[in-house]
Amino acid sequence: MTSPRLVIVEDNAGFATTLKRSFERRGYTVWVAADLGLWSLCWTRPSLVLPWST
């Protein structure tokens, strides 16, 4: 079975790393992009994209 794929769009590298590790512990394959423009260059088709804003 393939794990769900997730892209986290977050410009704070430290916070992005924390989110990435958290989702990986829950079984997700995770990619991180600093902005939506960078993510749009990815070849992957994730199950979910989280554009994070505070």
Side-chain angles (χ1 to χ4, degrees), residues 6 8 10 14-24 30 52:
L6 172 69
I8 297 172
E10 172 55 34
F15 187 55
T17 298
T18 299
L19 286 172
K20 181 178 189 286
R21 289 179 182 156
S22 178
F23 280 102
E24 286 175 336
V30 181
W52 201 268

Side-chain angles (χ1 to χ4, degrees), residues 5-40:
R5 296 165 296 190
L6 172 69
V7 173
I8 297 172
V9 181
E10 172 55 34
D11 62 353
N12 180 313
F15 187 55
T17 298
T18 299
L19 286 172
K20 181 178 189 286
R21 289 179 182 156
S22 178
F23 280 102
E24 286 175 336
R25 282 193 296 267
R26 289 167 176 78
Y28 286 81
T29 300
V30 181
W31 293 271
V32 175
D35 61 43
L36 285 172
L38 289 175
W39 173 74
S40 67

